[in-house]
PDB file of all heavy atoms in Angstrom:
ATOM      1  N   LYS A  22      -5.887 -15.754  11.248  1.00 93.00           N
ATOM      2  CA  LYS A  22      -6.905 -15.300  12.191  1.00 93.00           C
ATOM      3  C   LYS A  22      -8.297 -15.290  11.569  1.00 93.00           C
ATOM      4  O   LYS A  22      -9.223 -15.854  12.117  1.00 93.00           O
ATOM      5  CB  LYS A  22      -6.580 -13.911  12.730  1.00 93.00           C
ATOM      6  CG  LYS A  22      -7.600 -13.464  13.759  1.00 93.00           C
ATOM      7  CD  LYS A  22      -7.284 -12.121  14.349  1.00 93.00           C
ATOM      8  CE  LYS A  22      -8.375 -11.778  15.363  1.00 93.00           C
ATOM      9  NZ  LYS A  22      -8.661 -10.385  15.416  1.00 93.00           N
ATOM     10  N   CYS A  23      -8.443 -14.652  10.403  1.00 94.00           N
ATOM     11  CA  CYS A  23      -9.796 -14.459   9.858  1.00 94.00           C
ATOM     12  C   CYS A  23     -10.091 -15.296   8.614  1.00 94.00           C
ATOM     13  O   CYS A  23     -11.234 -15.370   8.177  1.00 94.00           O
ATOM     14  CB  CYS A  23     -10.038 -12.979   9.566  1.00 94.00           C
ATOM     15  SG  CYS A  23      -9.161 -12.358   8.107  1.00 94.00           S
ATOM     16  N   GLY A  24      -9.066 -15.890   8.003  1.00 95.00           N
ATOM     17  CA  GLY A  24      -9.283 -16.723   6.836  1.00 95.00           C
ATOM     18  C   GLY A  24      -9.272 -16.003   5.500  1.00 95.00           C
ATOM     19  O   GLY A  24      -9.446 -16.628   4.458  1.00 95.00           O
ATOM     20  N   TYR A  25      -9.043 -14.685   5.500  1.00 96.00           N
ATOM     21  CA  TYR A  25      -8.979 -13.941   4.240  1.00 96.00           C
ATOM     22  C   TYR A  25      -7.875 -14.530   3.381  1.00 96.00           C
ATOM     23  O   TYR A  25      -6.762 -14.773   3.853  1.00 96.00           O
ATOM     24  CB  TYR A  25      -8.705 -12.459   4.541  1.00 96.00           C
ATOM     25  CG  TYR A  25      -8.654 -11.581   3.319  1.00 96.00           C
ATOM     26  CD1 TYR A  25      -9.822 -11.204   2.669  1.00 96.00           C
ATOM     27  CD2 TYR A  25      -7.447 -11.117   2.825  1.00 96.00           C
ATOM     28  CE1 TYR A  25      -9.786 -10.387   1.551  1.00 96.00           C
ATOM     29  CE2 TYR A  25      -7.400 -10.302   1.705  1.00 96.00           C
ATOM     30  CZ  TYR A  25      -8.564  -9.937   1.075  1.00 96.00           C
ATOM     31  OH  TYR A  25      -8.518  -9.128  -0.040  1.00 96.00           O
ATOM     32  N   ASN A  26      -8.177 -14.768   2.088  1.00 95.00           N
ATOM     33  CA  ASN A  26      -7.204 -15.491   1.267  1.00 95.00           C
ATOM     34  C   ASN A  26      -6.711 -14.757   0.028  1.00 95.00           C
ATOM     35  O   ASN A  26      -6.061 -15.357  -0.820  1.00 95.00           O
ATOM     36  CB  ASN A  26      -7.770 -16.852   0.860  1.00 95.00           C
ATOM     37  CG  ASN A  26      -8.988 -16.725  -0.034  1.00 95.00           C
ATOM     38  OD1 ASN A  26      -9.438 -15.628  -0.349  1.00 95.00           O
ATOM     39  ND2 ASN A  26      -9.528 -17.853  -0.433  1.00 95.00           N
ATOM     40  N   LYS A  27      -6.996 -13.482  -0.098  1.00 95.00           N
ATOM     41  CA  LYS A  27      -6.533 -12.744  -1.285  1.00 95.00           C
ATOM     42  C   LYS A  27      -5.092 -12.278  -1.150  1.00 95.00           C
ATOM     43  O   LYS A  27      -4.358 -12.224  -2.122  1.00 95.00           O
ATOM     44  CB  LYS A  27      -7.427 -11.522  -1.536  1.00 95.00           C
ATOM     45  CG  LYS A  27      -8.892 -11.859  -1.706  1.00 95.00           C
ATOM     46  CD  LYS A  27      -9.161 -12.630  -2.964  1.00 95.00           C
ATOM     47  CE  LYS A  27     -10.646 -12.835  -3.136  1.00 95.00           C
ATOM     48  NZ  LYS A  27     -11.007 -14.155  -3.518  1.00 95.00           N
ATOM     49  N   TYR A  28      -4.687 -11.903   0.057  1.00 95.00           N
ATOM     50  CA  TYR A  28      -3.331 -11.395   0.282  1.00 95.00           C
ATOM     51  C   TYR A  28      -2.994 -11.544   1.757  1.00 95.00           C
ATOM     52  O   TYR A  28      -3.794 -11.215   2.620  1.00 95.00           O
ATOM     53  CB  TYR A  28      -3.239  -9.917  -0.111  1.00 95.00           C
ATOM     54  CG  TYR A  28      -1.916  -9.276   0.227  1.00 95.00           C
ATOM     55  CD1 TYR A  28      -0.790  -9.511  -0.544  1.00 95.00           C
ATOM     56  CD2 TYR A  28      -1.795  -8.463   1.347  1.00 95.00           C
ATOM     57  CE1 TYR A  28       0.429  -8.936  -0.225  1.00 95.00           C
ATOM     58  CE2 TYR A  28      -0.576  -7.884   1.673  1.00 95.00           C
ATOM     59  CZ  TYR A  28       0.525  -8.120   0.885  1.00 95.00           C
ATOM     60  OH  TYR A  28       1.736  -7.558   1.203  1.00 95.00           O
ATOM     61  N   VAL A  29      -1.821 -12.071   2.039  1.00 96.00           N
ATOM     62  CA  VAL A  29      -1.359 -12.159   3.425  1.00 96.00           C
ATOM     63  C   VAL A  29       0.039 -11.565   3.540  1.00 96.00           C
ATOM     64  O   VAL A  29       0.791 -11.508   2.564  1.00 96.00           O
ATOM     65  CB  VAL A  29      -1.344 -13.611   3.964  1.00 96.00           C
ATOM     66  CG1 VAL A  29      -2.744 -14.161   4.097  1.00 96.00           C
ATOM     67  CG2 VAL A  29      -0.461 -14.507   3.124  1.00 96.00           C
ATOM     68  N   GLU A  30       0.342 -11.101   4.732  1.00 94.00           N
ATOM     69  CA  GLU A  30       1.663 -10.584   5.060  1.00 94.00           C
ATOM     70  C   GLU A  30       2.285 -11.531   6.082  1.00 94.00           C
ATOM     71  O   GLU A  30       1.582 -12.174   6.853  1.00 94.00           O
ATOM     72  CB  GLU A  30       1.551  -9.181   5.670  1.00 94.00           C
ATOM     73  CG  GLU A  30       0.906  -8.195   4.734  1.00 94.00           C
ATOM     74  CD  GLU A  30       0.607  -6.856   5.392  1.00 94.00           C
ATOM     75  OE1 GLU A  30       0.620  -6.742   6.634  1.00 94.00           O
ATOM     76  OE2 GLU A  30       0.357  -5.905   4.630  1.00 94.00           O
ATOM     77  N   ILE A  31       3.596 -11.588   6.073  1.00 94.00           N
ATOM     78  CA  ILE A  31       4.293 -12.411   7.049  1.00 94.00           C
ATOM     79  C   ILE A  31       4.633 -11.532   8.241  1.00 94.00           C
ATOM     80  O   ILE A  31       5.212 -10.468   8.104  1.00 94.00           O
ATOM     81  CB  ILE A  31       5.556 -13.035   6.440  1.00 94.00           C
ATOM     82  CG1 ILE A  31       5.172 -13.921   5.249  1.00 94.00           C
ATOM     83  CG2 ILE A  31       6.330 -13.823   7.474  1.00 94.00           C
ATOM     84  CD1 ILE A  31       4.135 -14.992   5.571  1.00 94.00           C
ATOM     85  N   CYS A  32       4.246 -11.998   9.414  1.00 93.00           N
ATOM     86  CA  CYS A  32       4.400 -11.215  10.641  1.00 93.00           C
ATOM     87  C   CYS A  32       5.234 -11.986  11.649  1.00 93.00           C
ATOM     88  O   CYS A  32       5.191 -13.212  11.693  1.00 93.00           O
ATOM     89  CB  CYS A  32       3.032 -10.957  11.261  1.00 93.00           C
ATOM     90  SG  CYS A  32       1.787 -10.493  10.071  1.00 93.00           S
ATOM     91  N   HIS A  33       5.947 -11.249  12.462  1.00 92.00           N
ATOM     92  CA  HIS A  33       6.686 -11.844  13.575  1.00 92.00           C
ATOM     93  C   HIS A  33       5.759 -11.934  14.776  1.00 92.00           C
ATOM     94  O   HIS A  33       5.146 -10.939  15.167  1.00 92.00           O
ATOM     95  CB  HIS A  33       7.909 -10.999  13.924  1.00 92.00           C
ATOM     96  CG  HIS A  33       8.969 -11.042  12.877  1.00 92.00           C
ATOM     97  ND1 HIS A  33       9.017 -10.144  11.832  1.00 92.00           N
ATOM     98  CD2 HIS A  33      10.007 -11.901  12.708  1.00 92.00           C
ATOM     99  CE1 HIS A  33      10.055 -10.442  11.062  1.00 92.00           C
ATOM    100  NE2 HIS A  33      10.667 -11.493  11.568  1.00 92.00           N
ATOM    101  N   ILE A  34       5.642 -13.108  15.350  1.00 90.00           N
ATOM    102  CA  ILE A  34       4.805 -13.290  16.532  1.00 90.00           C
ATOM    103  C   ILE A  34       5.441 -12.546  17.710  1.00 90.00           C
ATOM    104  O   ILE A  34       4.793 -11.747  18.374  1.00 90.00           O
ATOM    105  CB  ILE A  34       4.622 -14.791  16.835  1.00 90.00           C
ATOM    106  CG1 ILE A  34       3.854 -15.453  15.679  1.00 90.00           C
ATOM    107  CG2 ILE A  34       3.915 -14.982  18.175  1.00 90.00           C
ATOM    108  CD1 ILE A  34       3.831 -16.955  15.734  1.00 90.00           C
TER     109      ILE A  34
END
Side-chain angles (χ1 to χ4, degrees):
K22 183 178 180 214
C23 74
Y25 182 76
N26 64 359
K27 303 292 185 225
Y28 174 77
V29 292
E30 300 172 345
I31 300 305
C32 317
H33 291 90
I34 296 169

